[in-house]
Structure formats: structure tokens, C-alpha cells
Amino acid sequence: EEQLVESGGGLVQPGGSLRLSCAASGFKFSTYAMTWVRQAPGKGLEWVSSITSGSSYIEYADSVKGRFTISRDNAKNTLFLQLNSLKTDDAGMYYCAIGYKGNWDSDRRGQGTQVTVSS
């Protein structure tokens, strides 16, 4: 059974950092591009970042460029998102999903991990 499990969210002050993880199982993780998306309270899903299977291509939304870093460890079937210089606008539920940028699959994503940015 294909499964994606996010972790690492929490409460952080503005300017703080978090590292999100997404543990993948049930499919050949190393052959798939992966994506992080987020959803702020009362808003729709927003694409955040994508990475190709071999990490050759990486893209970020303008809103997070220079502050967030996506990476993956194919040997451990794990996707990461390092969040630095967090802003209140970064708060929301963060999901990992299979696919790349506009082609990420909304039916193939985890349950999410909550990021709260507040002083």
C-alpha cells in the first residue's frame, strides 16, 4: 500500500526554523518526482516546492525562494523540507505529494503536518 507520512511540524516563532520530513513506502520512491504543497487556514492548496527523482531539478514558489530548501534521501525513502526565516504567512498544513509542480497528484499525498508561526 502506497503511503506518505509527514512529520516535523510544530509551533515556531517568526524567524524560526523547522525541518519537515515525509516518509514514503509502498512504491518505488527513488523513481518519482516529489512535491511539497501547503494549505493555510481558509485557503486553497498552494504549491511550495518540487524535486525530481534524482534531485537534478528543484523549483520553489516565489514566496519561499531563498528561505526553504527541498531535498530527498532515496536510500531512506524520505523527502525533506527545511523551513528557515519563517513568517506568519507560512503557517498551515504541509503535505508531501507524488509528482512535480503543476503535475503533482492530489490523490497521492500524505495527511499533512501542521506548521504554526506565532510569537
Side-chain angles (χ1 to χ4, degrees), residues 17-112:
S17 297
L18 285 172
R19 190 190 196 204
L20 308 184
S21 298
C22 169
S25 61
F27 65 102
K28 197 166 178 62
F29 176 77
S30 63
T31 66
Y32 285 88
M34 296 294 295
T35 283
W36 285 97
V37 297
R38 67 186 181 185
Q39 186 167 27
K43 296 187 177 181
L45 287 164
E46 175 190 14
W47 171 76
V48 174
S49 181
S50 296
I51 185 170
T52 53
S53 59
S55 304
S56 297
Y57 292 95
I58 290 173
E59 293 187 70
Y60 298 96
D62 287 343
S63 58
V64 307
K65 201 173 293 183
R67 301 187 297 117
F68 290 9
T69 303
I70 191 171
S71 63
R72 64 191 296 161
D73 185 337
N74 285 342
K76 296 183 178 180
N77 292 339
T78 305
L79 177 72
F80 302 100
L81 187 68
Q82 178 69 41
L83 287 62
N84 295 331
S85 302
L86 281 160
K87 305 175 181 179
T88 54
D89 287 349
D90 294 320
M93 189 70 80
Y94 282 69
Y95 303 92
C96 62
I98 296 171
Y100 191 86
K101 205 173 180 181
N103 293 318
W104 69 272
D105 191 338
S106 60
D107 292 328
R108 303 173 80 184
R109 61 183 167 111
Q111 294 302 304

